[in-house]
Amino acid sequence: MTRRTDRHTAAEDQIPAPAPADDRGGFWAEQAARLHWDTPWTRVLDWSDAPFAKWFADGRLNVAYNCVDRHVEAGHGDQVAFHWEGEPGDTRNITYADLQREVSRTANALLSLGLATGDRVAIQLPMIPEAVFAMLACARLGLPHSVVFGGFSPAALQSRIEDAEAKLLITADGQYRRGQAVAMKDGTDEAVAHTPSIEHVLVVRRTGSAVAWTEGRDLWWHDLVDAQADTHTPEAFDAEHPLFILYTSGTTGKPKGILHTSGGYLTQAAYSHRAAFDHRAGQDVYWCTADIGWITGHSYIVYGPLANRATSVMYEGTPNTPHEGRHFEIIQKYGVSIYYTAPTLIRTFMKWGEDIPARYDLSSLRVLGSVGEPINPQAWLWYREHLGGNRTPVVDTWWQTETGAIMIAPLPGTGLAPKPGSAQTPLPGISAKVVDDQGVEVGKGESGYLVLDRPWPAMLRGVWGDTERYRETYWSRFAQQGYYFAGDGARYDEDGDIWLLGRVDDVMNVSGHRISTAEVESALVSHPSVAEAAVVGATDATTGQAIVAFVILRGSAADGSAEAADTITALRNHVAQEIGPIAKPRQVMVVPELPKTRSGKIMRRLLRDVAEQREIGDVTTLADASVMSLINNGLGGPAAKSD
């Protein structure tokens, strides 16, 4: 495998200029050239079999080499790749040289199990370094990995193993959550009891808890991996070689296996990480708070940052263990300069109180990022004030599992005037539009559907094993125009900047008016009595859909039913004043908590069940399944209804 030393000049680290519409190929060729290619490509994009793209198709590279080895060879082996913080307080500082040795050991261990190029590996691990080692070892060997979020049920894990026909499962004995050691292997044993494709289960000892053991199938990580040689020579793979499968929810109830390949994905993951956060290799300390089991963890904990020689923080536990200042304590400890998190967590910080971040030195922060859902303006402003000291840019990013990388965001340092709540403009090299039902672009001040009208390097290459579902889900709605339909609503403001309105099924149609759940939620949380809110559209015989809000109140309003009733009336009027009478909620329900997954996503599907008085659906992916019981039990309390 041919090697070369990669050293970038300061000029090369500048944010790239926008690509002219007719030279996107040249733009992406320039970004791809920042990686090491064993065989250079001769053609940037092959779109002849649309919607199946091939980027840099005749080029060959190794993703893990680009993320690890080339930095060591360039003299950066002593640079920290990860500052890892375990929830109980244990820590590890892993340099790039350490990472190279650990990934090589892991790769050698996987080879010793008889795995061959193209075999799939399932990974269900907590936020521990071995998760990164495993992903990179798979990338090194050309083994597509399927990382399954640690909070998913055995049935969910089983279905993903079956769909990918994985031969190996990598898991742990347990994980730490909220100060407790929680079993993992019991669940994975249940999952693989009926998955004949699994030949071995490789188990990391994290908590030391007792586990059931199947001889001949189960192997301890420390027995197998630690005994391996710490050197391994990677081979190059085609740019379109599958890198990973990541499952995301679908309207049919069967998860979709989103397929991402190697060269184009790594090109855009690295580019977008560098550009969106103004990342400076060897200077910044970067922290993405996502879980490794989601696309954000893939693109912005592992592949993008490591390709850019980032020093990252990786944290195992919950943000309030052992106290509500844990994240700020970590920022202070490591001098974090770039912090990328979700609006749900920002609103949680707001609920806990501004006095908590005020106890810590957060002056190292220079860029803040937001990911996962549209951020409401109040949370944006609070984030910038109480974490960013009213000086940092806030990069509100829009992208998806399917896009693979950030697509729309206001780049720091470009002079773009910030707009709290707006992702604003596509990144250089990306093209997006807001269109109506006929696929015609809407005007300024108008709403419609967000589409991507040109292919991009990190785009999904299909749904694993189901090409028809890929075409139907993402390309059929605007097939005539050849647009990718993102499934999100959006609007242009009077400047032509983009505001995301959430999923189309989170855009309510009330008497013919399209109203975003995010917009109503933003209005609710702008009221001083509201700590957090979630809004759904419920079927209504008169208006088609009616707005139903679930709110967590602050302070005394949350305690006294009489005051709460008055507050709810005030909230309905407040929304009407903020947005208009058409947006006035039919019903506002006070709840103690909102149903969330462990990644912090609000499960509006369950709230819609409550609003429409249906039997509550599957709650297995909730961080706390008892929340729905609390909501149902509390419905006899204050709940203002329509006049």
Side-chain angles (χ1 to χ4, degrees), residues 22-46:
D22 59 353
D23 191 31
R24 293 182 192 277
F27 176 85
W28 287 115
E30 182 181 341
Q31 306 313 315
R34 299 175 66 99
L35 302 176
H36 170 78
W37 294 81
D38 288 80
T39 302
W41 70 90
T42 61
R43 184 177 184 183
V44 174
L45 170 64
D46 180 353

Side-chain angles (χ1 to χ4, degrees), residues 10 17 126 135 237 256 271 323 327 373 379 406 412 459 535 543 551 575 602-603 610 639:
M135 292 171 69
F237 297 100
K256 303 184 294 290
Y271 152 71
H323 54 81
H327 271 222
E373 59 180 294
I406 295 167
M459 66 192 297
V535 168
T543 61
V551 299
V575 173
I602 296 171
M603 294 289 285
V610 173

Side-chain angles (χ1 to χ4, degrees), residues 13 17 61 93 134 180 194 232 244 277 375 388 406 432 435 463 498 523 527 537 543 545 549 589 596 624:
D13 285 328
L61 80 169
N93 290 322
Q180 301 294 320
H194 305 289
H232 173 268
F244 63 86
F277 304 112
I375 185 171
I406 295 167
V435 301
V463 173
I498 295 172
H527 192 281
T543 61
Q545 282 189 305
M589 300 182 186
K596 298 175 184 175
D624 183 359

Side-chain angles (χ1 to χ4, degrees), residues 9 75 105 123 128 145 193 211 301 345 462 557 561 594:
T9 66
R105 286 192 186 99
I123 301 170
I128 56 177
H145 58 67
V211 294
I301 293 178
L345 184 57
S561 59
L594 293 171

Side-chain angles (χ1 to χ4, degrees), residues 167 235 279 415 436 570 609 638:
K167 288 189 174 182
E235 67 173 292
H279 176 261
D436 62 17
D609 289 342

Side-chain angles (χ1 to χ4, degrees), residues 162-413:
E162 289 174 336
D163 190 68
E165 297 181 298
K167 288 189 174 182
L168 170 69
L169 170 64
I170 303 176
T171 189
D173 57 351
Q175 60 183 318
Y176 289 101
R177 301 295 297 180
R178 296 183 172 86
Q180 301 294 320
V182 180
M184 284 192 76
K185 190 171 183 294
D186 290 348
T188 58
D189 282 349
E190 182 181 339
V192 301
H194 305 289
T195 55
S197 66
I198 290 291
E199 297 174 355
H200 293 99
V201 177
L202 185 57
V203 186
V204 178
R205 180 176 284 162
R206 172 60 184 136
T207 63
S209 55
V211 294
W213 204 254
T214 300
E215 290 296 336
R217 184 197 70 183
D218 296 349
L219 302 162
W220 283 113
W221 179 285
H222 57 269
D223 287 339
L224 180 67
V225 178
D226 293 356
Q228 303 294 324
D230 64 3
T231 59
H232 173 268
T233 301
E235 67 173 292
F237 297 100
D238 291 342
E240 285 298 321
H241 185 79
L243 179 61
F244 63 86
I245 307 163
L246 189 57
Y247 288 84
T248 187
S249 59
T251 55
T252 66
K254 180 186 177 183
K256 303 184 294 290
I258 303 303
L259 174 64
H260 284 287
T261 56
S262 302
Y265 169 80
L266 189 63
T267 293
Q268 191 177 341
Y271 152 71
S272 57
H273 172 260
R274 186 175 61 252
F277 304 112
D278 186 28
H279 176 261
R280 301 163 189 176
Q283 301 177 40
D284 281 310
V285 177
Y286 163 82
W287 184 11
C288 170
T289 70
D291 189 278
I292 211 85
W294 307 116
I295 187 62
T296 307
H298 285 54
S299 299
Y300 298 110
I301 293 178
V302 181
Y303 293 113
L306 290 176
N308 289 333
R309 189 166 54 84
T311 293
S312 296
V313 168
M314 183 177 177
Y315 174 54
E316 176 185 31
T318 52
N320 59 346
T321 303
H323 54 81
E324 292 171 342
R326 185 70 187 269
H327 271 222
F328 313 124
E329 181 180 70
I330 292 172
I331 291 170
Q332 176 180 278
K333 177 178 178 179
Y334 294 110
V336 172
S337 54
I338 303 170
Y339 181 73
Y340 190 33
T341 196
T344 294
L345 184 57
I346 297 165
R347 291 191 292 266
T348 299
F349 290 155
M350 293 172 66
K351 185 167 59 175
W352 291 346
E354 62 195 50
D355 59 307
I356 297 175
R359 298 171 195 162
Y360 300 89
D361 180 3
L362 307 181
S363 60
S364 62
L365 290 169
R366 68 177 188 86
V367 177
L368 299 174
S370 172
V371 62
E373 59 180 294
I375 185 171
N376 54 293
Q378 187 191 31
W380 191 104
L381 292 166
W382 190 97
Y383 191 29
R384 187 171 189 271
E385 177 181 357
H386 296 290
L387 271 71
N390 281 323
R391 55 181 172 73
T392 60
V394 175
V395 181
D396 178 13
T397 63
W398 176 86
W399 60 295
Q400 303 173 313
T401 301
E402 292 87 346
T403 70
I406 295 167
M407 304 294 282
I408 303 174
L411 298 185

Side-chain angles (χ1 to χ4, degrees), residues 398 432-452 477-478 483-493 497-508 513-516 519:
W398 176 86
K433 290 180 179 179
V434 182
V435 301
D436 62 17
D437 286 305
Q438 284 71 48
V440 177
E441 188 170 15
V442 302
K444 292 180 179 180
E446 296 182 355
S447 300
Y449 303 102
L450 183 67
V451 298
L452 303 171
R477 184 156 191 166
F478 298 104
Y483 294 163
Y484 168 91
F485 176 45
D488 281 338
R491 67 178 175 87
Y492 289 129
D493 64 16
D497 285 342
I498 295 172
W499 294 70
L500 274 301
L501 302 176
R503 299 296 298 171
V504 168
D505 55 8
D506 288 336
V507 177
M508 302 165 289
H513 297 268
R514 292 174 58 80
I515 301 171
S516 162
E519 193 172 15

